[in-house]
Amino acid sequence: MPVGLGVDGSASNDGSQMVGEVWQALLLQRVGFGPDAMTAREALEIATLGGASVLGRDDIGALAPGKAADFVFFDLAQLGFAGALHDPVAALVFCAPSQVDTSVVDGRVVVRHGQLMTVDLRTVVSRHNAFAELLLANAG
């Protein structure tokens, strides 16, 4: 059975932290089935190739010719990665900060050095907060 991971937005009380979901999936397997139940690479594969499989997509999920080239960079010189670089994949899953350094989606840089490049973030956050207040006011 295909298994994938995903995140929702803040409307459903989710922080939209995909790497955090990878970490949690790995930890849940280890809690239930022991420390060898899942590796960081297996958890990351569920999030990438597994996610593509669940969606029935063969054009995403891996960096390969003919696939959409969406990828992120993390700055490995950050304190959170100190001492963990002997296994960069495990470092990503266990130590990654909540913010990527650079994100490229469909060949377009969306985040550069931690800054969103595609929209005015202050405007988006302000509108989002206003809509959240409206939803709360109408809820009850």
Side-chain angles (χ1 to χ4, degrees):
M1 170 188 305
V3 177
L5 297 174
V7 296
D8 282 333
S10 60
S12 60
N13 202 29
D14 190 296
S16 298
Q17 299 296 330
M18 188 62 182
V19 176
E21 296 303 318
V22 173
W23 176 67
Q24 183 157 315
L26 179 141
L27 291 181
L28 284 171
Q29 289 302 303
R30 289 181 173 190
V31 164
F33 305 103
D36 295 327
M38 182 178 285
T39 66
R41 280 177 171 68
E42 290 168 331
L44 192 58
E45 184 173 314
I46 288 170
T48 55
L49 292 171
S53 178
V54 166
L55 296 172
R57 304 272 308 265
D58 62 2
D59 62 326
I60 60 173
L63 287 177
K67 295 188 183 278
D70 299 353
F71 53 91
V72 295
F73 296 107
F74 289 87
D75 180 359
L76 299 180
Q78 295 182 56
L79 181 60
F81 290 111
L85 297 182
H86 61 281
D87 185 344
V89 173
L92 173 66
V93 173
F94 286 104
C95 309
S98 62
Q99 187 171 350
V100 301
D101 181 74
T102 302
S103 177
V104 178
V105 177
D106 197 23
R108 185 170 144 211
V109 177
V110 175
V111 175
R112 177 175 287 140
H113 304 301
Q115 300 298 312
L116 188 60
M117 305 300 293
T118 57
V119 297
D120 176 18
L121 194 54
R122 288 180 189 229
T123 300
V124 170
V125 170
S126 177
R127 290 187 67 209
H128 185 91
N129 286 333
F131 284 127
E133 286 181 32
L134 183 62
L135 285 172
L136 188 60
N138 289 328

